[in-house]
Amino acid sequence: MEVSETIAHHILDHDFGVMLGTVHLPITAHTLTMFGISLVLLFVCILMSRTGKSVFMRLMHTLGEEYVAFMRDGIVVPGMGAEGKQFLSYFCTLFLFILFSNLAGLIPQMKTITSNIAVTGALALCSGALIVYCGIKFHGGWGFVKTFVPGGTPWWLVPLIFPLEVISLIIRVCVLAIRLFANMLSGHMVLLSLLLIIFIIGQMSKIAGVGSAVPAMGLEIFMTLLELLVAFLQAYVFTLLTSIYAGLVIHSH
């Protein structure tokens, strides 16, 4: 068993090489997974938004109400203030999409698309666009530019402070992408490595394989539960930091 090939098969994206005449369509495992997650997310949101007489429909509607209330009172309003309520739909969608993307890798034959820097980078760019939009919406174009220079800054420090503040905003957006990417990639690699230990030792010795399989499987189950916690935590942190960064722009001094 080639350990590197096995890990690469589960971690790396795979292009199916679909051609439409002479045009190559970029259909990969990650794009198909993303499409599937979007359909599931759309279906879940529709169920949560509708009321019905069945117990299941009432349960889904109640869960939807509690979820929106949690996002509003636990993330958006504390981070952005009352002004953030108009962006509540974005944060509700962002959290669920990241959560579903994180959990997808735990399903056989599915991929953890948040272990792809292109996906997390796109999510970070969306959050960055929201931050810039909030600055322009609440301060105007020139007012948003002036927020990069703190009040009371001497004029001779402006050429130094302004680019540093712009770079700081860019770094915040980059950190959003890198943090999510690194955590999900490393967690998935650890799970695969622990699972492969069982087969590697089993090839070396049947006796050693039987003796090591039980503790290895116990550790694998523990790491899987830990990965579930990380999936929820990373979705929460990404959404929370987005609201905080947007709030810093809205309530800049």
Side-chain angles (χ1 to χ4, degrees):
M1 176 184 294
E2 281 291 339
V3 177
S4 59
E5 292 182 2
T6 303
I7 294 179
H9 173 75
H10 288 84
I11 296 297
L12 300 180
D13 199 4
H14 303 283
D15 191 343
F16 296 109
V18 179
M19 299 294 295
L20 183 61
T22 58
V23 179
H24 175 263
L25 299 179
I27 298 179
T28 67
H30 284 182
T31 56
L32 290 178
T33 302
M34 190 183 306
F35 181 73
I37 291 173
S38 301
L39 290 179
V40 172
L41 182 57
L42 179 62
F43 178 71
V44 171
C45 290
I46 291 176
L47 286 180
M48 289 182 174
S49 64
R50 293 184 176 180
T51 57
K53 296 182 180 180
S54 65
V55 176
F56 175 75
M57 291 299 296
R58 291 199 299 268
L59 176 61
M60 291 298 296
H61 187 71
T62 302
L63 287 176
E65 290 180 341
E66 292 297 326
Y67 170 68
V68 173
F70 166 74
M71 294 297 297
R72 181 193 62 203
D73 301 331
I75 293 181
V76 176
V77 173
M80 302 176 64
E83 297 87 350
K85 291 182 180 180
Q86 56 190 295
F87 306 106
L88 181 59
S89 58
Y90 171 78
F91 287 96
C92 290
T93 305
L94 179 67
F95 179 86
L96 282 181
F97 181 81
I98 295 177
L99 178 61
F100 283 23
S101 300
N102 293 346
L103 296 176
L106 299 177
I107 302 175
Q109 304 303 320
M110 295 287 285
K111 302 288 185 179
T112 305
I113 61 175
T114 44
S115 63
N116 188 331
I117 189 62
V119 175
T120 60
L123 292 171
L125 286 177
C126 291
S127 295
L130 175 69
I131 294 171
V132 174
Y133 174 77
C134 289
I136 296 175
K137 177 179 177 62
F138 291 99
H139 300 287
W142 178 242
F144 174 61
V145 173
K146 291 193 295 184
T147 60
F148 291 101
V149 180
T153 302
W155 65 267
W156 51 273
L157 276 179
V158 172
L160 177 63
I161 297 298
F162 181 79
L164 288 178
E165 289 293 327
V166 173
I167 293 173
S168 175
L169 177 60
I170 296 174
I171 290 176
R172 290 173 185 172
V173 175
C174 293
V175 166
L176 286 175
I178 296 174
R179 176 188 284 110
L180 180 59
F181 159 73
N183 279 281
M184 298 314 301
L185 178 64
S186 59
H188 207 56
M189 291 184 67
V190 169
L191 284 177
L192 289 173
S193 300
L194 290 175
L195 186 60
L196 288 172
I197 290 176
I198 303 172
F199 301 100
I200 294 173
I201 299 180
Q203 287 182 347
M204 297 172 58
S205 171
K206 291 184 178 180
I207 298 178
V210 172
S212 61
V214 174
M217 283 300 298
L219 185 59
E220 177 72 14
I221 294 173
F222 171 76
M223 290 301 300
T224 301
L225 295 177
L226 184 61
E227 186 72 4
L228 287 173
L229 175 62
V230 170
F232 280 90
L233 184 61
Q234 289 304 315
Y236 175 79
V237 169
F238 192 102
T239 310
L240 179 64
L241 288 179
T242 300
S243 69
I244 292 175
Y245 294 158
L248 291 175
V249 172
I250 294 174
H251 302 285
S252 61
H253 300 285

